[in-house]
Amino acid sequence: MKNLKAFIILIFLIFFKIGLASNDNGVIKPPIPLPPEIVNPENPNDDFAIPEIKKSGIDIDGEDLRYLEKTYTVMVEAKVDVFIPLEVISDINIEATIIGNQIKEIPFEIELNRAPEKKDYYSIKYSETVIDIDGDGNPDTYIHSPKYINEKISKDNYVKIYGEKISKEGKHNKTIYVTVEVGE
């Protein structure tokens, strides 16, 4: 177990030693800027430095004494899969004038940050789909969307407003939140 731990630490140190370069003062710097949370705990104002790797002689690992015969350079490749969730990137403002008992269907588009990679897998969810826009207790506005969203821009969405159910005159505003969910 000690040898495995020492081997992992050695690979980690070698991995970081390969990509480091020194500046004019001889101070070792990482090739890319490090995140702000990576600092030297003993002195946060210090530049980044790594311990030296012994190339010959003896090494003391706990109570064990080891004689170093050879050192090797190990190249390590790391691959990371980055998952970017689907998000709605467009704000939708719908304005309509309803006179009397009109029934209006107002189409709107929803734009996502990318096209879904799976068909019939993602759906649009609203904070409300049945709305009482004038606050009289009777629902008068309905939001309709396809069950699944399969394109970057969904065009089959509409708001249907029933003028006969609106009892209060005036301008009415409502904010609805739209999210993308997986599955049903």
Side-chain angles (χ1 to χ4, degrees):
M1 188 63 154
K2 283 186 179 181
N3 290 341
L4 179 61
K5 182 178 174 184
F7 181 70
I8 292 172
I9 291 172
L10 180 64
I11 288 178
F12 180 78
L13 292 176
I14 289 172
F15 177 74
F16 276 104
K17 183 83 171 180
I18 292 168
L20 300 176
S22 64
N23 61 11
D24 296 336
N25 302 334
V27 177
I28 295 176
K29 294 273 190 186
I32 56 174
L34 292 173
E37 63 269 9
I38 299 179
V39 294
N40 182 353
E42 295 171 6
N43 186 359
N45 297 329
D46 258 1
D47 288 329
F48 180 81
I50 62 169
E52 282 293 319
I53 299 173
K54 293 185 178 186
K55 294 183 174 54
S56 63
I58 59 173
D59 184 30
I60 300 174
D61 182 22
E63 296 178 7
D64 297 333
L65 180 63
R66 300 182 299 163
Y67 292 97
L68 301 177
E69 297 176 5
K70 294 181 182 179
T71 58
Y72 297 96
T73 302
V74 178
M75 299 298 285
V76 178
E77 180 180 342
K79 291 184 180 180
V80 179
D81 289 333
V82 177
F83 177 76
I84 300 171
L86 282 175
E87 297 175 343
V88 176
I89 61 171
S90 59
D91 287 339
I92 302 153
N93 293 318
I94 297 174
E95 293 184 20
T97 301
I98 308 295
I99 300 172
N101 293 336
Q102 285 182 326
I103 298 174
K104 288 247 180 161
E105 277 190 19
I106 304 151
F108 65 94
E109 295 180 354
I110 296 176
E111 183 178 358
L112 304 177
N113 57 338
R114 61 182 171 85
E117 65 275 357
K118 290 184 179 181
K119 298 291 182 193
D120 298 336
Y121 189 67
Y122 296 99
S123 59
I124 297 290
K125 296 294 179 187
Y126 299 93
S127 57
E128 294 178 69
T129 56
V130 178
I131 304 161
D132 176 20
I133 197 80
D134 59 352
D136 64 355
N138 294 324
D140 45 48
T141 306
Y142 301 88
I143 301 174
H144 299 278
S145 284
K147 184 173 182 178
Y148 296 107
I149 185 165
N150 293 322
E151 302 293 328
K152 182 177 179 180
I153 298 176
S154 173
K155 298 180 181 181
D156 297 330
N157 311 292
Y158 64 93
V159 174
K160 194 166 193 176
I161 303 172
Y162 294 88
E164 62 193 25
K165 296 182 180 181
I166 298 175
S167 61
K168 296 181 184 175
E169 284 188 25
K171 185 173 183 177
H172 306 291
N173 294 318
K174 185 72 173 178
T175 301
I176 305 295
Y177 298 98
V178 183
T179 58
V180 179
E181 291 189 1
V182 176
E184 302 211 11

